[in-house]
Amino acid sequence: MSTTTTTKVCLLTGASGTIGYNIALALKASSTPSLSWHIIIIGRRPPPSSITDVDGKPPAVLPYDTFLKAEMTNEESVSTVLNAHFESLQKSTTDSVGLNRLDLLINCAGCSLGNEPICNVSADTFRDVMEVNLIVPFILSKYAMSKMATPDGGRIINIGSIAGESPRLHSVPYTTSKYALGGLTRAMSIEGRHLAQTTNTTEAGNGVVAVCQINPGNVRSAIMSAEEAARREKEEGFVEAEDIGKYVAMIANLPNEANVLESTVMPTRQPLVGRG
């Protein structure tokens, strides 16, 4: 007996970073004979060879199907690029017409600037961090809600940080942006419960969009100094980007009627709670 395969479409930001790329890997790997993930990554640039290459060689197959280039902090640029992509699918005479849908948005792109005493942080730096870590997820979530306004609904996963709950010294822009992202997540989760009303369309039917946030703790990163990495390894530990990816994929594969509103994935030794 042949198995019918359902293809779902994911839009992912931040795949040029370690966590985002590992999310793409894990989501692709979670595909089954009955459910296949088609992954679109959108950003300023595709994943670099420093992340994609295995033992110095490009992988035989990349864990995504399409790369779309856009100026991510510009709503018009993002909407134009996405609309053009989906319109081209709609006009297609091949099987790709079935990909004119959006089932999952993962907002993973982020930046960490201004990691210095507050007196040295400029307002421009603060704005830059808020643009990338908060405004971009807003732009994409707004677009996704409209695209997901069907009886099938969809899911939005925001990648936050435990910094939103427990800041480190000299992290005002980053911490503020991640705390605000938590507010966006909760507000959008209410919008997703009332999808037809939110999108002003009857096409949504009884569909819902499950909106959630996953907050990673220490994850190994190339932007971290060797000294800081050694200190955290000794005192707090790390969780691997691969494990973050697998957890995100697990949430992504839940039915839209089930939601994990907020969760934390962190090294067991990281001192987020307790007096020690």
Side-chain angles (χ1 to χ4, degrees), residues 149 191-208:
E191 299 288 309
R193 278 189 243 157
H194 306 280
L195 187 57
Q197 180 181 346
T198 291
T199 57
N200 297 319
T201 177
T202 57
E203 296 176 8
N206 294 321
V208 294

Side-chain angles (χ1 to χ4, degrees), residues 101-103 144-156 188-211 255-258:
R101 56 184 291 165
L102 184 59
D103 301 276
M145 281 284 187
S146 296
K147 191 67 177 174
M148 293 173 179
T150 70
D152 291 336
R155 181 179 297 275
I156 297 173
M188 292 294 290
S189 73
I190 300 174
E191 299 288 309
R193 278 189 243 157
H194 306 280
L195 187 57
Q197 180 181 346
T198 291
T199 57
N200 297 319
T201 177
T202 57
E203 296 176 8
N206 294 321
V208 294
V209 174
V211 184
N256 295 332
E257 290 72 23

Side-chain angles (χ1 to χ4, degrees), residues 109 118 148 181 210 249 262 272:
I118 184 61
M148 293 173 179
L181 183 64
E262 186 171 3
L272 177 62

